[in-house]
Amino acid sequence: MTTVTSNELTPEQVRDSKIYTQWGLTEAEYDLIVAELKRLPNYTETGIFSGMWSEHVSYKKSKPILRKFWSTNERVLQGPGEGAGILDIGDGQAVVFKAESHNHPSFVEPYEGAATGVGGILRDIFSMGAQPIAVLDSLRFGELDDAHTKHIVDGVIAGIAGYGNAIGIPTVGGEISFDNVYAGNPLVNVMAVGLMDQAAMQVGQAKGVGNAIIYVGAKTGRDGINGASFASAEFSTEHESDRSAVQVGDPFLEKLVMDATLKAVHDHSDIIVGIQDMGAAGLLSSSSEMAAKAGMGITLNLNKVPQRETHMTPYELMLSESQERMLLVVKRGEEQAILDLFHEADLDAVVIGEVTDNGRYVLSFNDEIVADVLIDFLTHAPKQDLPMAEPKRLATFTADQYQPDLSDVKQTILDLLAQPTIASKASLFRHFDSMVRADTAIKPGGDASLVRVRGTKKALAMTTDVNARYLYLNPRVGAKMAVAEAARNIVATGALPIGITDGLNFGSPDNPEVYYELDQAVAGINEVAKQLNTPIISGNVSFYNETDGQAIYPTPMIGMVGLLDNVDLATTIGFKQAGDVIYVIGATQASFNGSEIQKMQTGTIDGQLFEFDDAAEMAAQTLVRQAIGQQLLASAHDLAEGGLIVGLLESSFAGQLSFNVNTNLATSYLFAETPSRFVVSVAADKVAAFEALAGDLATRIGDVTTGDDIVVATTTDEIVLSRQAAQKVYQESISWQLQA
């Protein structure tokens, strides 16, 4: 075997320099590779192990916990393990969805990091044979009083918009929060949703001895080399981040790849054996994982890989994460039909290898073997049993709930509306084309977005959610609340929640307290998912989200999809007409620890998290779905950050109508963030029917009004706000802060 290519270290130099540690391999892992190969691995082999054994690809540290996820029910057609999960939505159709993170690249190069995050998740969808129909995001940034954070916000928003708009897939929703813990490590999670006929389902497997491995799409360059290892390490302010590990995307090229791939699936499903996106670890992971899943071997001729740069080495070719590339396995002798299809789209399409039956991963370059390893060994990183310990901070939290300072209630409300986490994100979402493809029934700005299923009365509701402050105070209960809030968002449109994808963003798993947070978060997600019958069918783990040893809050983003059988029943958050009666569904309690008002007034969060009542949550959701199904609700809005007062004002602003309410609650309860609540409005002629259905689950608090005055009475105060003035604060706050 040739072990050296120009400018590469010899096997002995690899061993002696320990360059593998820079790529993320431990000395113990390197020794394990030497023992398995019974020789020193060469430069390329060491590199491919570093990519495949990185946490970002192998999940070697998270798998022991991820295996606990509940991921099967009567709807699941494809669970975790493929490019995306698939659920049955009836009529021979299926919804396909998944979330991915691009956190580290987005900090280093905000525009390209976010843009390629969109491109990567879309490839996961169409590699399954599905037409992407929507993109959502879940973003976390530092505070907007920091110049670098503003730069990151601008770049990330522009990157998501630039890629999604250009490829013609609507960005229909998402959520954005701001907190100093993300200043050095922002989170950029992207969720994509697709539709397909169940008959067209594809899986990423390389079956059949002699079948062809076909590379299609863009040429391979030096962008994103070993990005998987880059994503599996924490940041340090002492070292400049590696920009070469950030990929560069081309949405126009991706559109060609997407359309050609879907045409191939549609026209040639009988000869396509498998499809997989070249994502993390590029050609390496896609090819080796496809063979491993099929129990086969694979051989690749790297000289045939289309290249856009000269003198690329085998290491670079295998570990490049250049975008807009796919790998297809096609029946032997049938290759030309696929090659012609992609060539007609002006795309590269080349047979670069074939499937073998020897279980080995063999790479040749310049007529010499540059890698020869067992695929099962390459694709199964050694297990790591990591210790976990309850975070010490949890023992210091007291049960007492924070008491808001309400010396000026009116100003407190206006200040709360100006908080970036609560304020309208319209100034950011306006960059996103949410209406391309013309199927969006509910646009960004509501609880969940709604996209029609063409040719049917059905629609898909979709949302992303998590309040990481809650998880910081109680990882398990906070995770339960994240799933519950996502479901409330879906239910508020009238849809039935049917499934979950996740984006699990945490600090270093080598820290026992962080590993405990992950374990507890997964347990909490499972508890509520089972009650909702929403299996976790796909997802992503992003570790090492910390800078200089300071981790972010545990942030397990919940992406949820719901099914609405009749789009005519779709319900939105805005009040509809004066005279409609306003109700709160669910009980309001003194729930202030971890709340927006605590953070706003004290600059931090503290104390034991308030309680979550599973039964109350299910009862509230059931009532709202039943009421919408019986066409009793004019509007419905989940109550979350900021509490009742923010929910009422958001419904007011969305409907351009005011309200007059008497809460019969203490003034502080306006800001409580008690879960399991909705604010709904009911037309006067449907009040009797709604109250009969709701019983004691709903409390009548007032009416929708015209004019500019918003009137809120509590047990001790009467607050009068100008709707126009309050709405101006709400709508313009983020723009003001970005421009300050």
Side-chain angles (χ1 to χ4, degrees):
M1 173 188 295
T2 296
T3 56
V4 181
T5 303
S6 59
N7 299 321
E8 291 185 351
L9 302 181
T10 65
E12 291 76 18
Q13 289 170 330
V14 168
R15 176 196 61 198
D16 297 341
S17 69
K18 298 186 179 180
I19 190 174
Y20 54 81
T21 62
Q22 298 174 30
W23 298 342
L25 287 173
T26 66
E27 293 194 37
E29 287 172 336
Y30 176 80
D31 291 342
L32 195 63
I33 295 166
V34 173
E36 169 66 25
L37 299 182
K38 298 182 176 59
R39 58 176 172 80
L40 295 180
N42 65 29
Y43 189 89
T44 299
E45 290 169 330
T46 308
I48 66 176
F49 277 105
S50 77
M52 291 305 297
W53 286 11
S54 68
E55 175 60 29
H56 197 63
V57 172
S58 71
Y59 287 0
K60 61 190 175 187
K61 297 179 179 179
S62 49
K63 270 184 180 176
I65 293 175
L66 299 182
R67 288 194 181 100
K68 300 176 184 179
F69 268 137
W70 174 66
S71 57
T72 57
N73 76 352
E74 68 283 357
R75 286 189 187 271
V76 178
L77 300 174
Q78 176 63 61
E82 289 291 341
I86 307 178
L87 294 177
D88 184 350
I89 59 170
D91 304 315
Q93 295 177 304
V95 60
V96 184
F97 57 98
K98 189 185 181 186
E100 281 282 3
S101 64
H102 239 216
N103 301 336
H104 287 181
S106 298
F107 180 70
V108 175
E109 293 283 2
Y111 184 94
E112 294 297 350
T116 51
V118 174
I121 194 62
L122 288 173
R123 288 193 299 279
D124 281 335
I125 301 302
F126 66 76
S127 71
M128 306 301 291
Q131 169 64 57
I133 61 169
V135 169
L136 300 91
D137 52 56
S138 176
L139 311 175
R140 293 294 180 277
F141 301 111
E143 300 288 3
L144 287 178
D145 57 3
D146 176 74
H148 189 60
T149 292
K150 294 178 185 179
H151 163 72
I152 292 174
V153 171
D154 287 341
V156 166
I157 296 299
I160 294 171
Y163 206 100
N165 296 357
I167 198 173
I169 306 299
T171 302
V172 300
E175 46 103 40
I176 309 174
S177 292
F178 300 83
D179 198 293
N180 267 333
V181 297
Y182 303 105
N185 198 127
L187 302 183
V188 177
N189 287 248
V190 183
M191 173 182 172
V193 181
L195 272 173
M196 69 185 302
D197 292 330
Q198 293 179 24
M201 283 176 55
Q202 288 289 331
V203 294
Q205 293 192 10
K207 295 180 180 177
V209 175
N211 283 341
I213 308 298
I214 300 182
Y215 171 119
V216 302
K219 289 180 168 60
T220 297
R222 289 189 170 92
D223 50 326
I225 289 176
N226 217 349
S229 296
F230 170 64
S232 303
E234 64 186 76
F235 283 133
S236 168
T237 54
E238 293 181 4
H239 299 99
E240 184 176 355
S241 299
D242 185 3
R243 282 174 167 73
S244 68
V246 181
Q247 310 94 323
V248 178
D250 181 344
F252 301 102
L253 189 59
E254 173 119 337
K255 177 72 163 61
L256 297 176
V257 175
M258 178 177 71
D259 291 347
T261 302
L262 292 174
K263 181 173 174 58
V265 170
H266 183 268
D267 295 351
H268 300 289
S269 61
D270 56 328
I271 64 172
I272 295 177
V273 179
I275 304 177
Q276 189 151 325
D277 157 46
M278 292 191 215
L283 175 58
L284 165 65
S285 65
S286 56
S287 56
S288 61
E289 287 173 359
M290 290 176 83
K293 283 184 282 188
M296 305 300 286
I298 205 165
T299 180
L300 300 178
N301 181 346
L302 301 188
N303 290 98
K304 294 185 177 181
V305 173
Q307 301 170 40
R308 71 165 186 263
E309 300 184 45
T310 59
H311 307 303
M312 290 190 71
T313 66
Y315 170 89
E316 292 171 331
L317 291 167
M318 295 309 299
L319 287 159
S320 167
E321 293 184 10
S322 293
Q323 297 291 285
E324 292 85 43
R325 302 179 302 157
M326 307 286 289
L327 204 63
L328 279 65
V329 181
V330 175
K331 287 184 179 178
R332 185 176 186 175
E334 305 286 353
E335 302 92 344
Q336 199 59 47
I338 300 299
L339 297 175
D340 289 346
L341 188 155
F342 282 91
H343 288 156
E344 287 169 8
D346 291 325
L347 294 167
D348 279 294
V350 183
V351 176
I352 64 168
E354 65 178 20
V355 179
T356 65
D357 61 359
N358 61 9
R360 300 196 71 81
Y361 193 67
V362 180
L363 307 177
S364 67
F365 185 72
N366 293 342
D367 298 321
E368 297 177 321
I369 302 299
V370 294
D372 185 354
V373 301
L374 274 174
I375 281 185
D376 273 351
F377 184 63
L378 176 64
T379 57
H380 291 83
K383 293 179 181 178
Q384 296 202 5
D385 296 318
L386 300 178
M388 62 178 72
E390 182 176 290
K392 296 181 181 63
R393 67 174 186 272
L394 300 183
T396 69
F397 293 151
T398 66
D400 295 339
Q401 290 292 313
Y402 170 73
Q403 295 304 306
D405 174 3
L406 299 176
S407 53
D408 188 336
V409 181
K410 182 176 177 179
Q411 189 59 49
T412 298
I413 293 171
L414 294 175
D415 290 345
L416 198 63
L417 290 175
Q419 294 300 297
T421 294
I422 286 185
S424 170
K425 311 305 185 296
S427 62
L428 303 177
F429 280 117
R430 68 180 172 80
H431 297 282
F432 304 150
D433 187 340
S434 64
M435 297 303 292
V436 63
R437 292 181 55 82
D439 293 321
T440 308
I442 298 179
K443 296 188 292 184
D447 281 336
S449 300
L450 198 68
V451 179
R452 299 178 190 88
V453 178
R454 290 183 181 180
T456 75
K457 295 285 287 183
K458 295 183 293 192
L460 293 169
M462 49 198 77
T463 189
T464 56
D465 263 299
V466 63
N467 188 324
R469 296 172 191 160
Y470 296 168
L471 278 104
Y472 179 75
L473 299 185
N474 188 317
R476 188 171 190 139
V477 176
K480 293 176 69 170
M481 290 181 180
V483 178
E485 184 182 346
R488 286 197 302 276
N489 287 339
I490 298 292
V491 164
T493 69
L496 172 71
I498 61 172
I500 291 171
T501 185
D502 60 57
L504 306 178
N505 305 276
F506 289 81
S508 169
D510 306 316
N511 179 337
E513 294 189 353
V514 170
Y515 207 60
Y516 173 93
E517 290 173 343
L518 175 67
D519 181 70
Q520 290 297 294
V522 168
I525 291 168
N526 264 342
E527 285 182 56
V528 179
K530 288 178 180 177
Q531 294 178 68
L532 290 167
N533 197 25
T534 53
I536 301 94
I537 62 166
S538 61
N540 172 75
V541 181
S542 175
F543 278 144
Y544 303 100
N545 290 291
E546 51 187 67
T547 302
D548 298 336
Q550 180 60 48
I552 61 166
Y553 291 151
T555 313
M557 183 277 291
I558 302 298
M560 187 176 285
V561 170
L563 180 63
L564 182 59
D565 290 328
N566 183 356
V567 72
D568 294 339
L569 297 178
T571 304
T572 57
I573 72 170
F575 291 144
K576 299 302 184 292
Q577 63 182 6
D580 286 355
V581 179
I582 301 170
Y583 295 82
V584 173
I585 294 173
T588 302
Q589 299 164 345
S591 309
F592 299 109
N593 291 348
S595 68
E596 191 68 28
I597 196 167
Q598 183 189 38
K599 190 249 182 182
M600 181 181 78
Q601 293 188 339
T602 70
T604 188
I605 57 169
D606 193 24
Q608 291 180 14
L609 184 63
F610 41 85
E611 293 182 356
F612 174 77
D613 185 329
D614 301 61
E617 180 69 42
M618 299 307 145
Q621 291 192 26
T622 299
L623 171 57
V624 171
R625 279 201 70 243
Q626 289 176 338
I628 291 174
Q630 296 175 31
Q631 300 185 53
L632 299 179
L633 299 187
S635 70
H637 187 16
D638 149 58
L639 294 183
E641 288 90 351
L644 174 58
I645 189 61
V646 168
L648 284 165
L649 289 168
E650 287 174 337
S651 290
S652 167
F653 301 157
Q656 296 297 308
L657 290 162
S658 299
F659 57 87
N660 187 327
V661 302
N662 186 339
T663 65
N664 288 313
L665 297 170
T667 303
S668 63
Y669 279 44
L670 292 174
F671 308 96
E673 294 185 7
T674 311
S676 314
R677 296 180 301 158
F678 296 83
V679 60
V680 302
S681 62
V682 180
D685 62 349
K686 296 182 177 179
V687 162
F690 173 73
E691 290 186 349
L693 176 67
D696 60 2
L697 286 179
T699 303
R700 181 171 178 164
I701 62 170
D703 305 280
V704 178
T705 62
T706 56
D708 187 52
D709 282 353
I710 287 173
V711 182
V712 182
T714 68
T715 53
T716 56
D717 295 289
E718 181 173 281
I719 306 133
V720 180
L721 294 168
S722 161
R723 174 167 55 84
Q724 291 185 0
Q727 190 165 353
K728 182 179 177 67
V729 171
Y730 177 74
Q731 290 181 334
E732 298 180 6
S733 176
I734 286 181
S735 292
W736 293 339
Q737 294 181 64
L738 281 172
Q739 294 166 12

